[in-house]
């Protein structure tokens, strides 16, 4: 398999795979619906409670419960077929949307319901990663992972942009109904077009015996003991925490600088725009081996621009700094082959579930930590500290992210 990573693929080759098209369509609908639901629920919670804290909790309720799912349920990703897990996950999300639309639930019950279904996200994420790993070969796998990431970012942007408008136009309940319908379509697509031939890995030796929770704990321990897995998880998750922290401080930074709401909106989208540019350019223009050599430079590109915000730069320079920071996230392209090969085949689904769980958890912690810093130092300094942390972490992990030779690659 490794030799295939030396041959550059195209996005057209990725979309030519029917399994990928099904995953792509389902993920687009699913992430967009999740985002719309979060916006609508936040509006509902604020109208009922007037509490900024509860409203903020509502916007992030999808993230932290994933830690519980990844720690205790991730073994499910290898115990059932991906089609079963993915279609069931979307169907459950549809049911949640219907309950929120018609159930007239108390705020606490609504939040518990959304948090409960979020616990299963690592399982469906791991199952989706299994589909990509089994349906795509060589560099098409790397580009497929990139496209999966791009569609998530794009869907979140569209969901955020459309959420407020839809709530005003349709009302909260009807917006929830829209999200339920989109999740239902995603479930139908997954059920009809994902292959039933991908088998459950019921005989995985690392997880035989005991409950799903016990199997998950054993599997996570086996993954962390596998050579290179822990360092590669850290290399993919820690920089994301600094990136999320820098983005979380945009609104107070804009208020401090006196930027208009329109300017603030552009800054909020700037990092995502940079991510899209970076992934498309690096994925399309560079050969697989070159992408792996670019991991360390791109990590530095992701962290360094934030350092400049310690100064009162003019608005265009601030926007450019956030765009450039986002382009650096393309470093992930250079780590996909190594992570896939480092994870034991029998724990593949759980490995990606653990990666997703760690990423989501750390992305939730990063803004909290640097938000505390921003209570005691100027906001621009707190953002600059995210850059310091990102660059320092990159240097500490430089050995883990250095490219490894690919058999068959010309030296």
């Amino acid at each position: 398999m490794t030799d295939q990573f030396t041959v550059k693929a195209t996005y057209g080759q990725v979309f030519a795979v029917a399994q990928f098209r099904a995953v792509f369509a389902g993920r687009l609908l699913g992430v967009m619906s999740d985002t719309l639901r979060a916006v609508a629920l936040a509006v509902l919670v604020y109208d009922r409670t007037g509490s900024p804290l509860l409203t903020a909790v509502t916007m992030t309720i999808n993230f932290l419960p994933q830690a519980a799912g990844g720690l205790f349920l991730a073994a499910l990703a290898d115990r059932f077929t991906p089609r079963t897990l993915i279609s069931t996950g979307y169907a459950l999300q549809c049911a949640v949307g219907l309950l929120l639309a018609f159930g007239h639930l108390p705020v606490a019950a609504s939040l518990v319901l959304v948090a409960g279904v979020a616990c299963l996200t690592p399982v469906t994420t791991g199952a989706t990663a299994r589909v990509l790993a089994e349906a795509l070969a060589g560099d098409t796998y790397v580009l497929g992972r990139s496209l999966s990431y791009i569609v998530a970012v794009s869907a979140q942007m569209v969901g955020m942009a459309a959420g407020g408008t839809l709530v005003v136009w349709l009302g909260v309940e009807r917006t929830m109904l829209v999200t339920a319908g989109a999740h239902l379509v995603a479930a139908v697509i997954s059920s009809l077009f994902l292959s039933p031939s991908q088998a459950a890995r019921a005989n995985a030796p690392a997880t035989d015996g005991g409950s799903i929770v016990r199997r998950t704990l054993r599997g996570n321990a086996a993954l962390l003991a596998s050579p290179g897995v822990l360092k590669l998880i850290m290399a993919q998750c820690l920089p994301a925490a600094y990136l999320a922290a820098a983005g979380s401080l945009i609104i107070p930074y804009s208020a401090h600088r006196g930027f208009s709401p329109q300017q603030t909106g552009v800054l909020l989208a700037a990092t995502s725009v940079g991510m899209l540019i970076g992934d498309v350019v690096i994925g399309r223009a560079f050969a697989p081996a070159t992408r792996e050599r670019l991991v360390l430079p791109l990590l530095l590109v992701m962290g360094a621009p934030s350092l400049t915000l310690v100064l009162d730069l003019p608005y265009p320079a601030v926007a450019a700094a956030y765009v450039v920071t986002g382009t650096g996230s393309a470093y992930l392209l250079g780590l996909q082959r190594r992570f896939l090969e480092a994870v034991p085949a029998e724990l593949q689904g759980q490995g990606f579930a653990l990666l997703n769980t760690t990423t989501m958890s750390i992305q939730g912690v990063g803004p909290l930590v640097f938000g505390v810093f921003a209570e005691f130092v100027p906001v621009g300094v707190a953002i600059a500290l995210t850059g310091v942390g990102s660059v320092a972490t990159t240097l500490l992990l430089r050995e883990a992210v250095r490219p490894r030779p690919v058999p068959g690659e010309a030296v």
Side-chain angles (χ1 to χ4, degrees):
M1 181 185 70
T2 307
D3 291 343
Q4 296 174 320
F5 283 94
T6 64
V7 180
K8 184 179 175 183
T10 66
Y11 288 112
Q13 290 173 314
V14 178
F15 277 109
V17 179
Q19 296 289 286
F20 177 80
R21 294 197 300 271
V23 167
F24 185 90
R27 187 161 173 77
L28 177 64
L29 290 167
V31 174
M32 193 181 303
S33 299
D34 289 344
T35 308
L36 283 174
R37 186 179 64 198
V39 173
L41 189 58
V43 171
L44 179 66
V45 168
Y46 189 72
D47 284 346
R48 289 186 181 177
T49 68
S51 168
L53 176 59
L54 279 177
T55 305
V57 168
T58 303
M59 289 296 291
T60 60
I61 198 67
N62 276 324
F63 294 102
L64 289 182
Q66 293 187 35
L71 288 175
F72 302 115
L73 300 175
L76 288 169
D78 290 306
R79 305 295 294 187
F80 297 93
T81 65
R83 185 175 73 168
T84 298
L85 291 171
I86 295 169
S87 58
T88 300
Y90 287 137
L92 288 173
Q93 295 281 11
C94 172
V96 168
L98 292 174
L99 284 171
L100 292 174
F102 299 118
H104 305 292
L105 303 174
V107 167
S110 298
L111 294 179
V112 168
L113 188 64
V114 174
V117 78
C119 289
L120 297 175
T121 298
V123 177
T124 55
T125 300
T128 300
R130 274 188 59 192
V131 173
L132 297 183
E134 294 173 15
L136 302 175
D139 197 44
T140 58
Y141 167 77
V142 175
L143 294 188
R145 289 280 295 175
S146 169
L147 284 168
S148 182
Y149 179 67
I150 288 172
V151 74
V153 173
S154 302
Q156 284 178 338
M157 290 172 60
V158 173
M160 285 293 184
T165 303
L166 275 179
V167 171
V168 171
W169 183 35
L170 298 176
V172 171
E173 288 79 9
R174 289 180 180 175
T175 301
M176 292 296 186
L177 193 59
V178 169
T179 70
H183 277 126
L184 178 60
V185 173
V188 171
I189 289 173
S190 302
S191 181
L192 292 178
F193 298 107
L194 288 179
S195 171
S197 62
Q198 290 162 314
R201 289 163 177 163
N203 296 319
T207 56
D208 269 349
S211 65
I212 285 295
V213 172
R214 185 169 297 177
R215 291 168 182 163
T216 300
L217 293 174
R218 289 177 183 170
N220 286 341
L223 284 165
L224 296 178
S226 299
V229 169
L230 177 58
K231 288 184 178 179
L232 287 170
I233 288 177
M234 292 173 61
Q236 292 177 84
C237 296
L238 290 176
Y242 297 115
L243 190 65
S248 72
L249 295 173
I250 287 175
I251 292 177
Y253 177 78
S254 294
H256 171 72
R257 294 293 308 278
F259 294 151
S260 70
Q262 292 78 12
Q263 289 174 317
T264 302
V266 171
L267 289 183
L268 287 169
T271 300
S272 296
V273 170
M275 290 178 178
L276 294 175
I277 293 171
D279 266 52
V280 171
V281 171
I282 299 299
R284 188 68 186 89
F286 295 97
T290 304
R291 291 188 217 123
E292 298 196 7
R293 287 192 289 269
L294 286 174
V295 169
L296 187 58
L298 285 170
L299 275 168
L300 294 174
V301 165
M302 191 165 75
S306 298
L307 298 171
T308 63
L309 296 190
V310 72
L311 306 171
D312 286 340
L313 299 176
Y315 174 77
V318 175
Y322 272 101
V323 171
V324 173
T325 295
T327 63
S329 68
Y331 84 92
L332 291 167
L333 286 168
L335 295 179
Q336 298 305 318
R337 172 184 71 90
R338 290 178 54 195
F339 187 72
L340 178 64
E341 295 181 348
V343 172
E346 69 275 10
L347 292 172
Q348 198 174 75
Q350 187 169 345
F352 284 103
L354 180 62
L355 173 62
N356 181 73
T357 297
T358 308
T359 301
M360 292 297 100
S361 301
I362 292 180
Q363 280 184 331
V365 171
L368 177 63
V369 170
F370 286 94
V372 171
F373 286 158
E375 293 289 331
F376 301 99
V377 300
V379 180
V381 173
I383 295 175
L385 287 174
T386 70
V388 172
S390 184
V391 171
T393 299
T394 297
L395 295 177
L396 289 172
L397 291 172
R398 62 186 181 277
E399 290 302 321
V401 302
R402 287 191 191 280
R404 299 290 186 266
V406 179
E409 178 186 352
V411 178

